[in-house]
Amino acid sequence: MTGAVTHVKYGYVDAAGVRVFHRSAGPDDAPALLALHGFPSGSHQYRRLIDALAGEFRIVAPDYPGFGFTEVPDGFEYSFERLTDVVEAFCAAIGLRRFVLYAFDFGGPVGMRLAERHPEWIAGLVVQNANAYEEGLSDAARGFVAAGPDEIRGLFTLEATRGQYEGGAPAGSVAPESWLLDQHLLTGREEAQTALALDYRSNVARYPAWQAWLREHRPPTLVVWGRNDPFFTVPGAEAYRRDVPDAAVHLFDTGHFALESHLPEIAPLVAAHLRQSLPNTSG
Protein backbone atom coordinates (compact mmCIF):
# COMPACT_ATOMS: atom_id res chain seq x y z
CA MET A 1 0.00 0.00 0.00
CA THR A 2 2.80 2.43 0.90
CA GLY A 3 6.57 2.63 0.73
CA ALA A 4 9.22 1.26 3.06
CA VAL A 5 8.56 1.12 6.78
CA THR A 6 9.95 4.15 8.62
CA HIS A 7 10.80 4.76 12.27
CA VAL A 8 8.23 6.44 14.49
CA LYS A 9 9.53 9.44 16.43
CA TYR A 10 8.28 10.38 19.90
CA GLY A 11 8.86 13.72 21.57
CA TYR A 12 7.63 16.95 23.09
CA VAL A 13 6.99 20.39 21.61
CA ASP A 14 6.31 23.55 23.62
CA ALA A 15 3.03 25.03 22.41
CA ALA A 16 0.87 27.68 24.11
CA GLY A 17 2.52 26.98 27.46
CA VAL A 18 2.00 23.22 27.21
CA ARG A 19 4.53 20.43 26.58
CA VAL A 20 2.73 18.53 23.83
CA PHE A 21 3.70 14.89 23.44
CA HIS A 22 3.37 13.64 19.90
CA ARG A 23 4.31 10.74 17.71
CA SER A 24 5.19 11.22 14.07
CA ALA A 25 6.66 9.34 11.15
CA GLY A 26 7.31 9.69 7.46
CA PRO A 27 9.27 12.20 5.35
CA ASP A 28 8.87 15.84 6.40
CA ASP A 29 8.14 16.85 2.80
CA ALA A 30 5.52 14.14 2.19
CA PRO A 31 1.76 14.76 2.06
CA ALA A 32 0.75 15.21 5.69
CA LEU A 33 -2.00 13.81 7.91
CA LEU A 34 -2.76 15.47 11.26
CA ALA A 35 -4.46 12.79 13.36
CA LEU A 36 -6.56 14.10 16.25
CA HIS A 37 -7.65 11.55 18.83
CA GLY A 38 -10.80 11.06 20.87
CA PHE A 39 -11.87 10.36 24.44
CA PRO A 40 -10.55 8.71 26.51
CA SER A 41 -7.65 7.98 24.22
CA GLY A 42 -4.50 9.64 22.94
CA SER A 43 -2.16 9.55 19.99
CA HIS A 44 -1.54 5.85 20.65
CA GLN A 45 -4.90 5.11 19.00
CA TYR A 46 -3.16 5.88 15.68
CA ARG A 47 -0.15 3.64 16.29
CA ARG A 48 -1.15 1.04 13.70
CA LEU A 49 -2.33 3.60 11.15
CA ILE A 50 1.05 5.34 11.45
CA ASP A 51 2.82 2.04 10.77
CA ALA A 52 0.59 1.43 7.75
CA LEU A 53 0.98 4.85 6.12
CA ALA A 54 4.28 6.39 7.16
CA GLY A 55 6.32 4.87 4.34
CA GLU A 56 4.61 7.26 1.94
CA PHE A 57 3.08 10.02 4.07
CA ARG A 58 3.95 12.29 6.97
CA ILE A 59 1.73 11.36 9.93
CA VAL A 60 1.59 13.59 13.03
CA ALA A 61 -0.49 12.67 16.08
CA PRO A 62 -0.39 14.87 19.22
CA ASP A 63 -1.87 14.25 22.67
CA TYR A 64 -4.21 17.00 23.90
CA PRO A 65 -3.82 18.57 27.33
CA GLY A 66 -5.38 16.16 29.82
CA PHE A 67 -4.65 13.12 27.64
CA GLY A 68 -1.82 10.75 26.89
CA PHE A 69 1.63 12.00 27.86
CA THR A 70 1.17 15.73 27.32
CA GLU A 71 2.25 17.85 30.29
CA VAL A 72 0.27 20.92 31.36
CA PRO A 73 1.03 23.70 33.84
CA ASP A 74 -0.93 24.14 37.03
CA GLY A 75 -4.10 26.12 36.51
CA PHE A 76 -4.69 25.10 32.90
CA GLU A 77 -8.37 25.69 32.06
CA TYR A 78 -9.85 22.78 30.17
CA SER A 79 -12.23 23.60 27.34
CA PHE A 80 -12.42 22.70 23.67
CA GLU A 81 -11.32 26.21 22.75
CA ARG A 82 -8.19 25.79 24.89
CA LEU A 83 -7.46 22.37 23.38
CA THR A 84 -7.70 24.01 19.96
CA ASP A 85 -5.36 26.81 21.06
CA VAL A 86 -2.76 24.20 21.93
CA VAL A 87 -3.18 22.15 18.74
CA GLU A 88 -3.00 25.36 16.68
CA ALA A 89 0.23 26.40 18.42
CA PHE A 90 1.59 22.87 18.04
CA CYS A 91 1.03 22.94 14.26
CA ALA A 92 2.70 26.33 14.03
CA ALA A 93 5.66 25.14 16.11
CA ILE A 94 6.38 22.15 13.85
CA GLY A 95 5.67 24.02 10.62
CA LEU A 96 2.57 22.04 9.66
CA ARG A 97 0.68 24.37 7.34
CA ARG A 98 -1.18 22.14 4.86
CA PHE A 99 -2.56 18.73 5.69
CA VAL A 100 -5.46 16.34 5.64
CA LEU A 101 -7.18 16.36 9.01
CA TYR A 102 -8.14 13.01 10.55
CA ALA A 103 -10.84 13.73 13.11
CA PHE A 104 -12.15 11.09 15.51
CA ASP A 105 -14.58 11.72 18.38
CA PHE A 106 -13.13 14.72 20.34
CA GLY A 107 -10.95 15.30 17.28
CA GLY A 108 -14.11 16.49 15.52
CA PRO A 109 -14.75 19.57 17.68
CA VAL A 110 -11.04 20.33 18.03
CA GLY A 111 -10.46 19.83 14.31
CA MET A 112 -13.46 21.87 13.17
CA ARG A 113 -12.47 24.74 15.43
CA LEU A 114 -8.99 24.56 13.91
CA ALA A 115 -10.51 24.51 10.41
CA GLU A 116 -12.58 27.60 11.21
CA ARG A 117 -9.43 29.43 12.30
CA HIS A 118 -7.26 28.22 9.43
CA PRO A 119 -9.22 27.02 6.40
CA GLU A 120 -6.05 27.40 4.36
CA TRP A 121 -4.44 24.60 6.38
CA ILE A 122 -7.11 22.02 5.51
CA ALA A 123 -6.50 20.07 2.29
CA GLY A 124 -9.10 17.45 3.13
CA LEU A 125 -10.92 15.65 5.92
CA VAL A 126 -11.04 12.08 7.18
CA VAL A 127 -13.98 11.81 9.57
CA GLN A 128 -14.15 8.71 11.75
CA ASN A 129 -17.09 8.65 14.18
CA ALA A 130 -16.74 12.40 14.74
CA ASN A 131 -20.21 13.91 14.86
CA ALA A 132 -21.30 17.33 13.58
CA TYR A 133 -25.04 16.80 13.15
CA GLU A 134 -27.94 16.60 15.59
CA GLU A 135 -29.25 13.45 13.91
CA GLY A 136 -25.97 11.70 14.67
CA LEU A 137 -26.45 11.93 18.44
CA SER A 138 -27.76 8.75 20.04
CA ASP A 139 -29.79 8.84 23.23
CA ALA A 140 -26.60 7.95 25.10
CA ALA A 141 -24.77 10.87 23.51
CA ARG A 142 -27.62 13.27 24.33
CA GLY A 143 -27.50 12.04 27.89
CA PHE A 144 -23.76 12.74 28.00
CA VAL A 145 -24.27 16.28 26.70
CA ALA A 146 -26.91 16.97 29.36
CA ALA A 147 -25.14 15.19 32.23
CA GLY A 148 -23.99 16.82 35.42
CA PRO A 149 -20.61 16.30 37.14
CA ASP A 150 -21.66 13.27 39.20
CA GLU A 151 -23.00 11.42 36.16
CA ILE A 152 -19.94 12.29 34.11
CA ARG A 153 -17.54 10.86 36.67
CA GLY A 154 -19.16 7.48 36.12
CA LEU A 155 -17.52 7.43 32.68
CA PHE A 156 -14.03 7.25 34.14
CA THR A 157 -14.19 3.65 35.33
CA LEU A 158 -12.42 0.68 33.81
CA GLU A 159 -15.76 -0.84 32.87
CA ALA A 160 -16.83 2.29 30.99
CA THR A 161 -13.51 2.64 29.18
CA ARG A 162 -13.53 -0.99 28.11
CA GLY A 163 -17.12 -0.66 26.97
CA GLN A 164 -16.27 2.27 24.71
CA TYR A 165 -13.72 0.13 22.89
CA GLU A 166 -15.55 -3.19 22.75
CA GLY A 167 -19.15 -2.00 22.41
CA GLY A 168 -20.36 -2.88 18.92
CA ALA A 169 -17.00 -4.32 17.83
CA PRO A 170 -16.60 -7.92 16.65
CA ALA A 171 -15.62 -10.26 19.48
CA GLY A 172 -11.88 -10.55 19.93
CA SER A 173 -11.07 -7.63 17.61
CA VAL A 174 -9.87 -5.07 20.18
CA ALA A 175 -6.47 -5.40 21.85
CA PRO A 176 -6.84 -5.04 25.64
CA GLU A 177 -3.78 -2.81 25.97
CA SER A 178 -5.74 -0.05 24.19
CA TRP A 179 -8.38 0.42 26.86
CA LEU A 180 -6.03 -0.52 29.71
CA LEU A 181 -3.60 2.24 28.72
CA ASP A 182 -6.44 4.74 28.45
CA GLN A 183 -7.67 3.83 31.90
CA HIS A 184 -4.19 4.13 33.37
CA LEU A 185 -3.75 7.61 31.87
CA LEU A 186 -7.17 8.76 33.11
CA THR A 187 -5.99 8.35 36.70
CA GLY A 188 -5.56 11.74 38.35
CA ARG A 189 -7.22 13.57 35.47
CA GLU A 190 -10.84 13.24 36.50
CA GLU A 191 -11.30 16.97 37.09
CA ALA A 192 -9.83 17.86 33.70
CA GLN A 193 -12.00 15.31 31.95
CA THR A 194 -15.10 16.45 33.83
CA ALA A 195 -14.50 20.05 32.73
CA LEU A 196 -14.22 18.93 29.10
CA ALA A 197 -17.33 16.78 29.34
CA LEU A 198 -19.31 19.71 30.77
CA ASP A 199 -18.04 21.86 27.89
CA TYR A 200 -19.15 19.32 25.27
CA ARG A 201 -22.50 21.11 24.87
CA SER A 202 -20.55 24.01 23.31
CA ASN A 203 -19.70 21.64 20.47
CA VAL A 204 -23.32 20.79 19.77
CA ALA A 205 -24.10 24.51 19.74
CA ARG A 206 -21.49 24.98 17.02
CA TYR A 207 -22.85 22.29 14.69
CA PRO A 208 -24.61 24.84 12.43
CA ALA A 209 -21.41 26.89 12.08
CA TRP A 210 -19.39 23.78 11.19
CA GLN A 211 -21.97 22.70 8.66
CA ALA A 212 -21.78 26.18 7.10
CA TRP A 213 -17.98 25.87 6.97
CA LEU A 214 -18.28 22.53 5.17
CA ARG A 215 -20.74 24.00 2.65
CA GLU A 216 -18.49 26.98 2.01
CA HIS A 217 -15.16 25.16 1.67
CA ARG A 218 -16.27 21.73 0.39
CA PRO A 219 -13.03 19.97 1.44
CA PRO A 220 -12.41 16.53 -0.07
CA THR A 221 -14.02 14.37 2.61
CA LEU A 222 -13.72 10.69 3.48
CA VAL A 223 -16.09 9.37 6.16
CA VAL A 224 -15.21 6.02 7.75
CA TRP A 225 -17.67 5.03 10.46
CA GLY A 226 -18.38 2.17 12.82
CA ARG A 227 -22.07 1.55 12.25
CA ASN A 228 -22.56 0.05 15.75
CA ASP A 229 -21.25 3.10 17.59
CA PRO A 230 -23.43 3.54 20.71
CA PHE A 231 -22.78 7.30 20.74
CA PHE A 232 -22.64 8.59 17.16
CA THR A 233 -25.11 6.96 14.81
CA VAL A 234 -25.09 6.23 11.09
CA PRO A 235 -27.35 9.21 10.20
CA GLY A 236 -24.54 11.43 11.49
CA ALA A 237 -22.12 9.83 9.04
CA GLU A 238 -24.48 10.13 6.10
CA ALA A 239 -25.33 13.75 6.94
CA TYR A 240 -21.88 14.91 5.78
CA ARG A 241 -23.10 14.39 2.20
CA ARG A 242 -25.66 17.12 2.77
CA ASP A 243 -22.94 19.75 3.04
CA VAL A 244 -20.19 18.02 1.05
CA PRO A 245 -22.12 16.17 -1.68
CA ASP A 246 -19.02 14.39 -3.01
CA ALA A 247 -18.08 12.99 0.41
CA ALA A 248 -17.26 9.27 0.32
CA VAL A 249 -19.02 7.45 3.17
CA HIS A 250 -17.92 3.95 4.23
CA LEU A 251 -19.68 2.09 7.05
CA PHE A 252 -18.06 -0.80 8.91
CA ASP A 253 -19.58 -3.48 11.12
CA THR A 254 -17.89 -2.31 14.30
CA GLY A 255 -18.21 0.19 17.12
CA HIS A 256 -16.79 3.57 18.14
CA PHE A 257 -13.07 2.75 17.81
CA ALA A 258 -13.25 1.48 14.24
CA LEU A 259 -9.49 1.58 13.66
CA GLU A 260 -8.96 -1.04 16.36
CA SER A 261 -10.93 -3.68 14.47
CA HIS A 262 -10.91 -2.51 10.83
CA LEU A 263 -7.52 -0.95 10.16
CA PRO A 264 -6.85 -3.23 7.12
CA GLU A 265 -10.01 -1.90 5.46
CA ILE A 266 -9.64 1.74 6.53
CA ALA A 267 -5.93 2.38 5.96
CA PRO A 268 -6.06 1.95 2.14
CA LEU A 269 -9.01 4.36 1.96
CA VAL A 270 -7.05 6.96 3.95
CA ALA A 271 -3.98 6.48 1.75
CA ALA A 272 -6.00 6.97 -1.43
CA HIS A 273 -7.66 10.04 0.06
CA LEU A 274 -4.29 11.56 0.92
CA ARG A 275 -3.02 10.99 -2.61
CA GLN A 276 -6.12 12.66 -4.02
CA SER A 277 -6.19 15.58 -1.58
CA LEU A 278 -2.47 16.39 -1.56
CA PRO A 279 -0.99 15.27 -4.89
CA ASN A 280 2.71 16.10 -5.11
CA THR A 281 2.38 18.51 -2.20
CA SER A 282 4.69 18.79 0.79
CA GLY A 283 3.39 19.00 4.36
Side-chain angles (χ1 to χ4, degrees), residues 8-33:
V8 180
K9 297 178 181 178
Y10 309 93
Y12 288 88
V13 168
D14 292 330
V18 172
R19 291 192 73 222
V20 178
F21 176 84
H22 66 288
R23 56 193 79 208
S24 62
D28 287 346
D29 60 351
L33 182 75

Side-chain angles (χ1 to χ4, degrees), residues 147-221:
D150 291 340
E151 297 168 281
I152 287 167
R153 290 189 181 95
L155 295 173
F156 307 146
T157 66
L158 179 61
E159 180 182 11
T161 300
R162 181 175 183 174
Q164 288 198 57
Y165 273 89
E166 295 186 334
S173 65
V174 176
E177 58 265 27
S178 56
W179 47 269
L180 284 169
L181 178 59
D182 278 1
Q183 187 61 35
H184 172 73
L185 293 172
L186 275 174
T187 303
R189 289 170 161 169
E190 291 83 1
E191 292 305 314
Q193 294 297 337
T194 299
L196 287 171
L198 291 172
D199 189 47
Y200 198 87
R201 62 200 66 184
S202 73
N203 300 327
V204 178
R206 291 206 61 77
Y207 283 177
W210 297 341
Q211 294 159 18
W213 188 94
L214 291 167
R215 287 193 300 274
E216 177 183 356
H217 296 282
R218 297 286 179 89
T221 299

Side-chain angles (χ1 to χ4, degrees), residues 77-231:
E77 295 184 8
Y78 289 90
S79 70
F80 283 89
E81 286 291 337
R82 289 294 289 126
L83 297 192
T84 308
D85 292 342
V86 173
V87 172
E88 179 185 30
F90 168 78
C91 290
I94 66 172
L96 194 62
R97 289 292 190 276
R98 187 71 172 163
F99 50 82
V100 170
L101 172 68
Y102 192 121
F104 165 69
D105 189 66
F106 275 20
V110 174
M112 288 307 300
R113 282 177 168 82
L114 187 67
E116 287 182 293
R117 298 181 188 187
H118 294 284
E120 74 281 4
W121 287 5
I122 309 301
L125 298 177
V126 178
V127 180
Q128 188 230 305
N129 296 76
N131 193 57
Y133 296 88
E134 286 274 356
E135 59 262 50
L137 294 171
S138 69
D139 290 343
R142 293 179 189 278
F144 172 80
V145 173
D150 291 340
E151 297 168 281
I152 287 167
R153 290 189 181 95
L155 295 173
F156 307 146
T157 66
L158 179 61
E159 180 182 11
T161 300
R162 181 175 183 174
Q164 288 198 57
Y165 273 89
E166 295 186 334
S173 65
V174 176
E177 58 265 27
S178 56
W179 47 269
L180 284 169
L181 178 59
D182 278 1
Q183 187 61 35
H184 172 73
L185 293 172
L186 275 174
T187 303
R189 289 170 161 169
E190 291 83 1
E191 292 305 314
Q193 294 297 337
T194 299
L196 287 171
L198 291 172
D199 189 47
Y200 198 87
R201 62 200 66 184
S202 73
N203 300 327
V204 178
R206 291 206 61 77
Y207 283 177
W210 297 341
Q211 294 159 18
W213 188 94
L214 291 167
R215 287 193 300 274
E216 177 183 356
H217 296 282
R218 297 286 179 89
T221 299
L222 169 67
V223 180
V224 289
W225 204 275
R227 67 166 72 245
N228 306 324
D229 189 334
F231 308 106

